[in-house]
Amino acid sequence: MNPAAAANQKEEFKLKDTKPQLGERWPHGGTRGGGGWISSERATSTYDLVEQMFYLYVRVVKAKDLPTNPVTGTIDPYVEVKLGNYKGKTQHFEKKPNPEWHQVFAFSKEKIQSSILEVFVRDREMVGRDDYIGRVIFDMNEVPTRVPPDSPLAPQWYRLEDRRGESKVRGEVMLAVWMGTQADEAFPDAWHTDASSVQGEGVFNIRSKVYVSPKLWYLRVNVIEAQDVEPHDKSQLPQAFVKAQVGNQILKTKVCPQKTLNPMWNEDLIFVAAEPFEEQLYLTVENKVTSAKDEVMGRIILPLHIFERRLDHRAVHSKWFNLEKFGFGALEGDKRHELKFSSRIHLRVCLEGAYHVLDESTMYISDQRPTARQLWKNPIGILEVGILSAQGLQPMKNKEGKGSTDAYCVAKYGQKWVRTRTIIESLNPKWNEQYTWEVYDPCTVITLGVFDNNHLGGSGGKNDSRIGKVRIRLSTLETDKIYTHSYPLLVLQPSGLKKMGELQLAVRFTCLSLANMIYLYSHPLLPKMHYLHPFTVNQLDSLRYQAMNIVAVRLGRAEPPLRKEAVEYMLDVDSHMWSMRRSKANFFRIVSLFSGVIAMSKWLGEVCQWKNPITTILVHVLFFILICYPELILPTMFLYMFLIGVWNYRYRPRHPPHMDTKLSWAEVAHPDELDEEFDTFPTSKAQDVIRMRYDRLRSVAGRIQTVVGDMATQGERFLALLSWRDPRATSLFVLFCLVAAVALYVTPFKIMALVAGLYWLRHPRFRSKLPSVPSNFFRRLPSRADSML
């Protein structure tokens, strides 16, 4: 790639400023008093973050007194709404002369090519052409405009006309026709003109929808002990453990170390459960007969709603539960349900309401509230997002020999998910939909993803394809400011980094209470129970994975469903998987983090080497001032940081952060590394490829191993100063400490600091190129590396 093309590509991957015409603006005046026309421009507050889109709405309510077919004596009526080349049809009712439809049709004003709206009532015929019953004609120039928040336009009865429009015929239809915008409440459920190619159940998959994540709880099962458990072989004492299952989650206690009829464990097993509680807690007490064989000695099934809901760290009362008999043969099947009162288990079970159930990566967390609603604080702000449009999307599939994309956008913040309507066969879709969220913590992230809808032909079809994703951290936004930017939609594929298009957004973060927001910055990120009774890292990873699965399954059961692949992409379900590219990116993040310290040390080295004599003399002067007035050291440091902060205010970021391809190490990633990143787990690659990658991983791990070993060596040398592992070295160091203590007692600290500073800043003429005495002494100290195999 030549330099000019590389520069253009870098520009393509950057955020772009946009200036869309936001807000609702209505034309001057009107005709016939026109039901809602106003005489001045007006921007409403409900839809002020999107571009206005006009639609012609036709509400078909019902019909009455329709004539029956003279041959069959019945009628199967339906309504056809026609505007130019666009047609929309209601469902038909069999043998019903007074049908009710209650259906709304929406025609985009941009696509209107006719000055006449026709509404036909027809009788469906099984064979041949449908019979014409009558029609109603509207002149587009006479259609009134409705301005929210006006009440909905009242439908009226219209007499049907014959084909020529010369006379009225029998039958009436109730209609309402008006011009409105996407702010109209009829908009979400309306039939749109661009959906004319969608068949069957696919119509439900293109509508905009708001979803709410299921309410998640942590279920804590404290397995304390069991009494009088009996193995099948009564001559051997059992070595018992407990297996617990909730839905697909299975956890086991450790095996009781003693073989006994009354085993004790006192272990906590943590599960994720979602309301409404459909699963049950299934517990079995099992005997570890051999390493490969377990036998069930008793079981119990408990519904989750019987357990106490805990809102703090107070103790929950424990209970004894009787175990059911288990393991009887077919001849004794009637005894299977008898309670064995001699065997019982001691449990302490509760639903934890004071924790926040993590269902997304903690790096991009969007909600930190505890499960129990009574523990929520008041919101500190409002987040409003206008999802305007996408530009230059890549064709995701072929339809009739040409590339096309059926795009929709999903946004997730807190427990609320939103999904825009699907724009059919457009590489530059315009949604112009606005959504609002309550904000409880500014240090959270909203995630927006764009997908290609593959379920327009009905319930079948492959998975919806990813087009790209955008994250915006709310704490990086200024309050009460509208950000209008075009975000690049970048996707990493096995073939490399690819720009799939751009997503145009308008974002505004409104602060409700500045005092509460500032107060939050001093509080912990998660509810206090996460710190009073924390989970282990392994537990959190496992619980997060289970919570993600539950959310994906529940949202996939909604109507229309939010597909599992979309939910998993939004929640970064695979963010914990190994990636050589991501590892390199994190390493260079650490390097850049210490770049300031490294630059400072280089500058101090140049000062000590007298590279610039004037700078070194000024440092000497500053050093003498601080020695004479040590109480100025801390105020000087804080004043210096204050001045740096004020100076950097001029260069503060003017736009939200976005996906950085250079930081992600995506532009220069090796194809094999990307292929490894997209590999399944467990791997599905050929054996020679796996061997090559394993050897590469060993070489990387070998270098890491060497660095970790060097760090351990330095730490052990420091401990060896006083450990007498090297008696001569420790004797010298102890003697030096005694002399230093006496000297420091006798000599004022300012003089010691002055002498040390002057020695450190001495001229290169008085320096040796050999290592210093303390460095030589330290490197001679022993470490435990000699004792390693």
Side-chain angles (χ1 to χ4, degrees), residues 229-258:
V229 294
E230 291 184 10
H232 292 191
D233 183 3
K234 296 186 179 179
S235 62
Q236 296 283 337
L237 289 174
Q239 197 166 14
F241 67 94
V242 173
K243 183 168 78 173
Q245 181 172 356
V246 176
N248 295 325
Q249 308 167 68
I250 300 176
L251 295 175
K252 298 178 182 179
T253 66
K254 294 177 182 175
V255 177
C256 183
Q258 295 88 24

Side-chain angles (χ1 to χ4, degrees), residues 517-693:
M517 188 185 296
I518 294 172
Y519 176 70
L520 275 175
Y521 274 89
S522 64
H523 272 239
L525 206 59
L526 294 169
K528 62 181 181 181
M529 279 294 284
H530 284 269
Y531 307 97
L532 297 176
H533 296 282
F535 298 124
T536 65
V537 175
N538 287 338
Q539 274 182 320
L540 278 176
D541 283 344
S542 173
L543 292 170
R544 172 176 164 260
Y545 180 74
Q546 297 297 340
M548 283 180 175
N549 279 341
I550 291 173
V551 170
V553 169
R554 289 288 178 96
L555 293 179
R557 282 161 43 185
E559 189 59 48
L562 192 57
R563 301 284 167 187
K564 183 180 180 183
E565 59 271 17
V567 175
E568 289 182 346
Y569 182 55
M570 297 288 288
L571 293 178
D572 287 286
V573 73
D574 55 354
S575 62
H576 64 287
M577 299 297 288
W578 159 257
S579 164
M580 180 69 80
R581 173 193 61 83
R582 207 176 287 136
S583 301
K584 286 181 180 178
N586 288 332
F587 172 76
F588 284 103
R589 283 173 64 196
I590 293 174
V591 170
S592 66
L593 191 66
F594 288 104
S595 61
V597 178
I598 295 168
M600 189 70 176
S601 64
K602 285 183 178 178
W603 180 79
L604 288 174
E606 291 176 357
V607 168
C608 294
Q609 295 293 330
W610 290 70
K611 297 279 186 184
N612 189 337
I614 296 175
T615 304
T616 306
I617 290 169
L618 289 174
V619 170
H620 275 79
V621 172
L622 177 63
F623 179 67
F624 277 113
I625 292 171
L626 293 177
I627 288 296
C628 295
Y629 304 98
E631 64 274 10
L632 295 179
I633 294 175
L634 286 177
T636 303
M637 288 175 56
F638 284 108
L639 180 64
Y640 180 63
M641 287 190 285
F642 167 77
L643 292 174
I644 291 176
V646 171
W647 179 261
N648 287 343
Y649 181 75
R650 297 171 57 195
Y651 310 104
R652 67 191 185 278
R654 305 287 180 173
H655 53 75
H658 65 288
M659 302 294 184
D660 191 329
T661 55
K662 186 177 180 182
L663 179 71
S664 306
W665 213 249
E667 297 175 351
V668 293
H670 193 274
D672 185 67
E673 292 175 1
L674 292 176
D675 187 56
E676 180 184 24
E677 186 172 337
F678 286 94
D679 192 9
T680 56
F681 188 87
T683 182
S684 56
K685 298 296 178 183
Q687 192 170 354
D688 54 339
V689 176
I690 298 170
R691 184 183 293 113
M692 182 270 291
R693 289 176 180 170

Side-chain angles (χ1 to χ4, degrees), residues 718-732:
F718 182 77
L719 294 176
L721 286 170
L722 295 171
S723 69
W724 295 93
R725 171 55 60 188
D726 183 342
R728 282 163 296 280
T730 304
S731 301
L732 288 170

Side-chain angles (χ1 to χ4, degrees), residues 17 78 87 109 135 210 247 249 251 278 289 313 327 398 416 432 523 527 548 584 620 642 693 716 745:
D17 279 314
Y78 70 91
K87 292 181 182 178
K109 188 179 179 182
R135 71 173 180 175
V210 175
Q249 308 167 68
L251 295 175
E278 299 172 352
V289 182
H313 58 278
N398 281 317
K416 180 179 173 182
N432 284 305
H523 272 239
M548 283 180 175
K584 286 181 180 178
H620 275 79
F642 167 77
R693 289 176 180 170
E716 288 165 357
Y745 272 120

